[in-house]
Amino acid sequence: MRRSTLFGCVAFMVLVCSTFAWLHSKDINYNAVDKAWESGDMDEELREEEDKMHKRKQAEERAKRPNFVGDVGLPQTMIVSLKDNALTDFTALYPHIEEPTLAIANMWKEMLFNGGLEVEFFEVNETPLKIVAKIRRGWLAEDLVEFLVNQPQVDEVMWDFETYYPPGVDEKQREKEKMDAMKAAQEKQKKKKKAAAKRAPKTEL
């Protein structure tokens, strides 16, 4: 125990002496130290501004939706549906690009980054007309939606159980078309089941 304590004291004295010598060295770049402190202060200021923005956006979201219990500070994910002709039009413009879906996503990512938004995009397996977008700062999700619906390749954006359409789209008409398509698909499925039941061999008792 004594040996351990003695070793600790010696190590502490060496550390103090080394620190004292470093602080009084003529080789210290005090300008660099000042800049480092300024940089640290700036980081702290940015964090404070980010916290303020988070709280303000959280209050705005709860004012719009009283039942909202989530946290806009959490990363937000949305699904982007491309127009049916988006990939063919893109390929016609850029025939040398082999993966148009990935190219479109990368183009958006760069545009958003230049505008101050960091967004990740992911392709959906075997669904080239779908792209998943994820933004870390959830309170900027509305800005991302606004950007996406104004892109010529986008048909609709689904986020937080709501669907957003490009400007000029008749939302009621679009929703009606979706409901009609869903009903038609259900009727088709029922007819298939009835036809299969008629073709099935009957068991004699």
Side-chain angles (χ1 to χ4, degrees):
M1 182 68 70
R2 279 186 178 180
R3 186 176 178 182
S4 176
T5 304
L6 179 61
F7 177 78
C9 291
V10 171
F12 176 75
M13 289 302 295
V14 170
L15 178 62
V16 169
C17 292
S18 301
T19 305
F20 182 83
W22 181 84
L23 288 172
H24 290 79
S25 171
K26 294 181 180 179
D27 296 330
I28 297 175
N29 187 341
Y30 288 101
N31 289 330
V33 174
D34 290 339
K35 287 181 180 179
W37 276 105
E38 289 174 4
S39 176
D41 292 341
M42 183 60 70
D43 290 343
E44 188 63 33
E45 289 174 8
L46 288 174
R47 279 194 291 271
E48 289 178 3
E49 287 299 319
E50 191 170 297
D51 289 341
K52 288 179 183 178
M53 177 68 75
H54 178 191
K55 291 176 181 178
R56 183 168 67 82
K57 288 292 185 179
Q58 185 79 1
E60 289 177 359
E61 194 65 28
R62 288 185 174 172
K64 288 188 293 184
R65 296 187 291 172
N67 295 327
F68 177 73
V69 294
D71 184 355
V72 296
L74 296 176
Q76 299 293 310
T77 302
M78 52 195 72
I79 299 176
V80 186
S81 297
L82 302 180
K83 294 177 180 177
D84 293 338
N85 61 337
L87 300 183
T88 53
D89 288 352
F90 188 87
T91 302
L93 288 172
Y94 309 100
H96 60 285
I97 296 179
E98 297 181 357
E99 300 182 21
T101 305
L102 180 62
I104 290 171
N106 287 335
M107 178 180 66
W108 291 346
K109 183 175 182 177
E110 187 172 347
M111 293 168 66
L112 288 162
F113 182 79
N114 291 334
L117 295 181
E118 293 187 40
V119 183
E120 293 180 271
F121 290 97
F122 307 92
E123 293 182 86
V124 180
N125 290 338
E126 299 180 1
T127 313
L129 292 177
K130 299 283 186 184
I131 299 175
V132 175
K134 182 179 180 181
I135 185 166
R136 187 175 66 82
R137 294 181 175 90
W139 60 86
L140 297 174
E142 288 186 354
D143 295 331
L144 176 56
V145 171
E146 183 68 19
F147 168 85
L148 290 171
V149 295
N150 281 282
Q151 299 311 303
Q153 303 89 358
V154 173
D155 183 53
E156 64 180 37
V157 178
M158 291 187 65
W159 170 55
D160 196 28
F161 304 104
E162 293 187 25
T163 304
Y164 300 84
Y165 299 100
V169 172
D170 189 334
E171 296 185 13
K172 291 183 179 179
Q173 179 62 27
R174 181 65 72 85
E175 292 298 327
K176 183 179 181 302
E177 290 173 358
K178 285 185 179 181
M179 291 299 296
D180 292 344
M182 189 180 297
K183 289 179 181 178
Q186 290 174 348
E187 287 296 324
K188 189 176 181 180
Q189 191 66 23
K190 286 180 181 178
K191 288 180 180 179
K192 280 186 177 180
K193 287 183 178 180
K194 286 182 180 179
K198 287 181 180 179
R199 290 195 301 269
K202 295 181 180 179
T203 304
E204 295 183 2
L205 297 176

